[in-house]
Every structure is written in C-alpha cells, then in structure tokens.
Amino acid sequence: RGISYERIEGEAAFYGPKIDIKIEDAIGRIWQLGTIQLDWNLPERFELEYTGEDNQKHRPIMIHRALFGSIERFFGVLIEHYAGAFPLWLAPVQVAVLPITDRINDYAGSIADTLKSKGFRVELSSRSDKIGAKIRDAQLQKIPYMLILGDKEFEDGLVAVRDRRQGDLGAVSLEEFIAKIDEERTSRGR
C-alpha cells in the first residue's frame, strides 16, 4: 500500500508489524511507552479459531496494545518529567495548611476540612514549629499551594496564599482561593 515503515532488527517484537509510541522525557531521553502490534503467532500456538460468515473456520489475528508499556516505566517518566513538582490536579497533596501559631490550629483545621469537603487533597501542619520550617517542608514536598494562617488571617477571615513557584500571592477569602484552584484543577492547568 506504499505505507512507509522502518525495520528494526533485534527488537522483542516477533509478532508482526507494530506501532511504537515514544516519548521524550525532560532530559531528552526517549522512552517507548506504548505499542500496538499485530500477532499471528499466539493465535496459531493456542489454536484459536472462529467461524466466519462463510461458515468456515478461520484463524484470528490478535492485536496487542500496551498503552503505557509498563505502568512503572510510565510513572517513572512522569515523575522525571515534572521533577516531582506535579501540577495541582496530579499532586498527591494539593494544599498545605500552615498555621503560624498554635492559637490558629482550630481555624486551620476548619480551613483544611472545608478544602477536603471540596475534594482537595490537603495536609494540615499543626505541629509546633516555626513557620519557616513548615514552608520549607512544604516546598521540599513540592506541594503546589500553601495557606499561611496567623492572627491577622484569622481576624479577617482570610488565607494568605503561597504558590510553590511564585511565592507569596497575598491574602484572599477562602472562597476566592477555592474558586481559583478549582478552575486550575478542572482545566488541568499549569
């Protein structure tokens, strides 16, 4: 049919023609993540057959598809691609709630509960530690957003937002913050 193809000697594909889906990772390496290939071998070995429209026995041709290659390889490439800094929609923890003082722990807990009720993955850091240490830990974990809560935020009913990349974004209402990250999560942005 004049379709161009490339013959690659020594590959594990002994079935028949195949399509490889190759992805380049963040540091330029090429990984084969998916394949779709025809197989005349296994139907023969397993003596598979079907009755066709002509009422005769026929040997099927199998189509193998491996969308990710191995799931381990897929996740390895994904982690390397993002260098562990997943976008909000994919991050294991999406928001870290960080009270500055123990006096704010109840407020911080209610903020965390509200976010969880909206389907966000949240980590509350209510340990008695300096806020700098809490921020550093959240940054090392590559959590997309941190909510810094002190007396002022409690009194004003606000949350001070810190973005993993952009730093301090200022104080906003919880509803405004939820609307922002809900849109980001839904659109699969960043």
Side-chain angles (χ1 to χ4, degrees), residues 44-82:
E44 184 73 34
R45 287 181 55 200
F46 291 127
E47 300 177 5
L48 300 177
E49 55 184 33
Y50 68 94
T51 303
E53 289 182 11
D54 60 1
N55 238 10
Q56 300 297 311
K57 300 289 183 190
H58 298 276
R59 182 86 55 210
I61 299 170
M62 292 176 69
I63 299 175
H64 294 266
R65 72 176 187 142
L67 297 181
F68 299 125
S70 77
I71 197 73
E72 293 85 0
R73 183 185 310 158
F74 173 76
F75 280 115
V77 170
L78 189 65
I79 291 166
E80 282 190 6
H81 176 74
Y82 286 111

Side-chain angles (χ1 to χ4, degrees), residues 162-173:
R162 181 176 179 82
D163 181 287
R164 162 182 72 208
R165 288 182 225 146
Q166 298 172 332
D168 183 22
L169 300 180
V172 297
S173 71

Side-chain angles (χ1 to χ4, degrees), residues 15-168:
Y15 306 110
K18 73 175 183 173
I19 298 170
D20 286 338
I21 298 150
K22 296 183 179 180
I23 305 292
E24 183 177 346
D25 70 14
I27 58 175
R29 295 176 297 185
I30 302 296
W31 295 89
Q32 176 184 314
L33 288 185
T35 63
I36 302 168
Q37 55 195 41
L38 299 179
D39 179 357
W40 287 272
N41 184 31
L42 288 179
E44 184 73 34
R45 287 181 55 200
F46 291 127
E47 300 177 5
L48 300 177
E49 55 184 33
Y50 68 94
T51 303
E53 289 182 11
D54 60 1
N55 238 10
Q56 300 297 311
K57 300 289 183 190
H58 298 276
R59 182 86 55 210
I61 299 170
M62 292 176 69
I63 299 175
H64 294 266
R65 72 176 187 142
L67 297 181
F68 299 125
S70 77
I71 197 73
E72 293 85 0
R73 183 185 310 158
F74 173 76
F75 280 115
V77 170
L78 189 65
I79 291 166
E80 282 190 6
H81 176 74
Y82 286 111
F86 296 113
L88 177 82
W89 63 273
L90 191 56
V93 177
Q94 297 167 313
V95 181
V97 178
L98 310 175
I100 293 174
T101 175
D102 292 344
R103 291 188 306 276
I104 306 301
N105 282 350
D106 288 342
Y107 178 59
S110 71
I111 296 290
D113 290 343
T114 300
L115 288 164
K116 287 177 185 176
S117 76
K118 301 290 185 185
F120 292 100
R121 296 182 294 276
V122 180
E123 185 175 276
L124 171 61
S125 179
S126 58
R127 67 185 193 273
S128 294
D129 224 345
K130 293 186 178 189
I131 192 63
K134 291 179 181 183
I135 292 171
R136 184 181 63 249
D137 287 349
Q139 284 287 146
L140 289 173
Q141 291 179 50
K142 301 183 179 184
I143 298 172
Y145 290 101
M146 292 151 262
L147 299 182
I148 315 301
L149 306 175
D151 291 326
K152 180 164 178 34
E153 288 76 21
F154 173 66
E155 290 166 11
D156 296 343
L158 300 174
V159 294
V161 181
R162 181 176 179 82
D163 181 287
R164 162 182 72 208
R165 288 182 225 146
Q166 298 172 332
D168 183 22

